[in-house]
Amino acid sequence: MLRAGAGLAAAALLPSGLAACSGGRPELLTVAGGETGGFYLEFSTLLAAALERHGVAQRAVAVPTGGSLDNLAQLREGKATFAVSLADAVAGPDTPGDRAGQSQAPGTSGQPELAALGKVYENYVHCVVRRGSGITGLAQLSGRTVAIGQPGSGTSLTTPRLLAAAGLGTSAAGGPAAPGSVAVVSLGLNDGLAALKTGAVDALFWSGGVPTAAITAAQQDVALALLDLSSLLPELRSRYGSQYDRVFIPAGSYPGVPAVWTVGAANLLLCRADLDAGTVERTVQLLVNHAGDLIPQSSLGVQFLSPETLINTAGVPLHPAAADAYRALHG
């Protein structure tokens, strides 16, 4: 399905508003996903298949993207009907506490408003290092090089916040970082894992589901470990509010990697606020009644997709038709 979704990407990039309707059902729905090997694209591909299979649309496709920030841009530009995104990316980088110079999230006042269809699962921030590197805590990244996420990804927004909360400054890679700071490179999941294998970077930050298939596959070539990030949560909440959670990656999620606490953020399924009520209602019914179709085989079952968690959208307003659908389904 991933190959099929990628093959239809060009067609999917047509503005969703141009899709003709037949009997009230859209001819084409597009779902902005994420990087190959990550949970976003897996989930989006399953969602697109379910939207088509259950008659929400005549055809639906998932589109590979850089991640949350790219997805928000595609929604606002009308290139995607639905998108998955971290809640902190929806809030944007202008939250008090962000560093000066942080790149701006797509969307400013005057652009189309976005709305949530639900919280579909929790995202887990991974700080991945080579086992045996001697790095056992974030403070030991001082003077080292780290991959902070692909431009356009939610990880590229979250990682500088984590480093700032840890008291670590940042500088562009190209030479050794000064003590008390890290040299950063903008690499996503797959390129970051390749750089971690060769030693070109000392740590990789990634925000996604558990387990992330690409990280599991990388362990065939190099032994990896995860750092505990949960001690940063009080400072993160002080700077950015309650959009971050303390979450648990169970032992065995990745072969040979012990259990670890880390930082999580709500992952939302979004649309534009002007999306028609019928499509929104039928999609919510799909999320509730066919949740089992939307959890990739690689998942450990840590994703939510339950009525109680779907409506917990971290302060992002539900689409009015989504709110009506939840009330009709659950009172």
Side-chain angles (χ1 to χ4, degrees):
M1 285 191 298
L2 288 174
R3 286 195 296 271
L8 291 170
L13 288 173
L14 289 172
S16 57
L18 297 180
C21 293
S22 175
R25 309 286 169 137
E27 183 178 295
L28 173 65
L29 294 178
T30 60
V31 187
E35 293 185 64
T36 301
F39 201 92
Y40 273 24
L41 189 55
E42 290 185 78
F43 172 80
S44 298
T45 303
L46 290 174
L47 177 60
L51 288 166
E52 189 171 308
R53 183 168 60 252
H54 295 289
V56 179
Q58 295 182 54
R59 188 162 62 97
V61 293
V63 182
T65 70
S68 292
L69 300 181
D70 277 354
N71 293 350
L72 296 175
Q74 290 209 15
L75 272 185
R76 290 190 170 100
E77 293 166 8
K79 294 179 179 178
T81 316
F82 300 118
V84 285
S85 174
L86 287 168
D88 61 350
V90 182
D94 53 352
T95 306
D98 274 307
R99 288 177 168 273
Q102 172 70 38
S103 61
Q104 292 297 305
T108 58
S109 59
Q111 289 191 323
E113 292 185 8
L114 304 183
L117 285 84
K119 174 182 176 178
V120 289
Y121 63 92
E122 187 83 9
N123 245 37
Y124 295 69
V125 180
H126 298 57
C127 183
V128 188
V129 298
R130 294 183 301 278
R131 199 181 308 169
S133 65
I135 303 172
T136 58
L138 212 58
Q140 292 172 304
L141 293 180
S142 173
R144 300 177 184 262
T145 302
V146 302
I148 62 169
Q150 177 175 308
S153 68
T155 306
S156 70
L157 172 68
T158 306
T159 302
R161 293 181 173 186
L162 292 166
L163 295 172
L168 292 170
T170 59
S171 61
S181 65
V182 297
V184 299
V185 290
S186 296
L187 296 177
L189 175 63
N190 298 299
D191 290 340
L193 285 170
L196 192 63
K197 290 178 190 178
T198 64
V201 301
D202 300 292
L204 161 70
F205 283 87
W206 163 254
S207 185
V210 173
T212 293
I215 296 176
T216 301
Q219 288 187 285
Q220 298 175 12
D221 300 319
V222 59
L224 301 174
L226 298 175
L227 301 188
D228 188 326
L229 303 178
S230 61
S231 64
L232 302 177
L233 192 58
E235 182 64 21
L236 283 172
R237 286 183 163 175
S238 172
R239 291 173 179 238
Y240 309 108
S242 59
Q243 55 192 286
Y244 296 107
D245 304 307
R246 184 173 184 254
V247 294
F248 187 65
I249 299 179
S253 299
Y254 300 99
V257 177
V260 64
W261 288 95
T262 189
V263 170
N267 195 78
L268 308 178
L269 180 63
L270 302 165
C271 65
R272 281 174 43 155
D274 58 4
L275 183 61
D276 70 277
T279 298
V280 172
E281 179 183 358
R282 289 188 288 271
T283 302
V284 166
Q285 291 170 347
L286 176 65
L287 294 175
V288 172
N289 296 324
H290 299 281
D293 296 343
L294 304 176
I295 301 178
Q297 292 298 310
S298 63
S299 169
L300 289 179
V302 294
Q303 282 64 48
F304 293 135
L305 282 170
S306 67
E308 297 79 12
T309 56
L310 277 165
I311 61 174
N312 182 18
T313 54
V316 178
L318 283 167
H319 190 289
D324 290 345
Y326 287 120
R327 290 191 192 98
L329 288 165
H330 305 293

